[in-house]
Amino acid sequence: MKLLVAAVGRWRGGPERALFDHYVSRLKGGLAVIEVEERRPLPVAERKAREAELLLAQLPPGAFVVALDEHGEAWGSERLARELDQRRLEARPAAVFAIGGADGHGEALLARADRKLALGVMTWPHMLVRGLIAEQLYRAQCISGGHPYHRS
């Protein structure tokens, strides 16, 4: 199963990218990033709808989609590992972690998501979220493989 981050916004260099790359280098099978961007100055509701449309257009058919959303569930690392293991058993072609723009996801993306996941109640910079997801995917892989990286 391919692992993907589908995100609104473009990478710039810096420590957030280094963190992401560090964990991606440890992941068996890697982690691809799909970036979309709406550059027109649209009203918030229109921009969210357009960003959702752009993200949805990039999703592989049959993908398990997790929308990062402040109103989502809070999972532990073990839950993430179980969710991914289950999707592998279902032969899903990909697991996509969708990161919205500054104002969050549009309704169409939230409706398509199989799960909504919150990374806690704090607000995180979108570029840092990429690194957090990469680390948690590596941790989930370690949990599933019985590797001692994760200690609960």
Side-chain angles (χ1 to χ4, degrees):
M1 180 172 68
K2 287 180 65 174
L3 298 174
L4 302 161
V5 167
V8 173
R10 303 275 180 211
W11 271 120
R12 292 161 187 84
E16 297 90 350
R17 179 68 187 250
L19 177 70
F20 178 85
D21 290 343
H22 171 74
Y23 286 106
V24 169
S25 73
R26 294 174 163 211
L27 270 168
K28 293 178 187 139
L31 174 61
V33 176
I34 298 166
E35 296 177 316
V36 301
E37 192 169 37
E38 175 55 62
R39 300 190 74 115
R40 294 177 293 173
L42 300 172
V44 171
E46 288 180 43
R47 188 177 64 251
K48 285 172 58 173
R50 178 64 180 143
E51 289 169 349
E53 180 182 307
L54 292 169
L55 286 170
L56 288 167
Q58 297 298 318
L59 299 180
F64 174 64
V65 178
V66 179
L68 282 286
D69 182 74
E70 65 183 332
H71 303 292
E73 296 179 83
W75 295 353
S77 299
E78 293 89 356
R79 166 84 185 270
L80 176 61
R82 285 192 309 270
E83 290 280 345
L84 293 173
D85 289 344
Q86 181 60 41
R87 299 322 142 218
R88 283 186 192 91
L89 289 173
E90 294 170 0
R92 293 285 191 109
V96 179
F97 292 82
I99 303 169
D103 294 301
H105 285 295
E107 289 302 318
L109 188 284
L110 292 173
R112 167 57 184 90
D114 295 287
R115 300 285 187 277
K116 295 171 191 76
L117 175 63
L119 297 180
V121 295
M122 293 181 175
T123 302
W124 295 98
H126 287 81
M127 294 303 166
L128 185 55
V129 168
R130 295 178 189 205
L132 295 173
I133 290 298
E135 191 281 336
Q136 284 299 298
L137 290 171
Y138 173 67
R139 185 176 296 273
Q141 200 171 73
C142 290
I143 290 167
S144 295
H147 188 278
Y149 176 79
H150 177 74
R151 293 175 180 88
S152 55

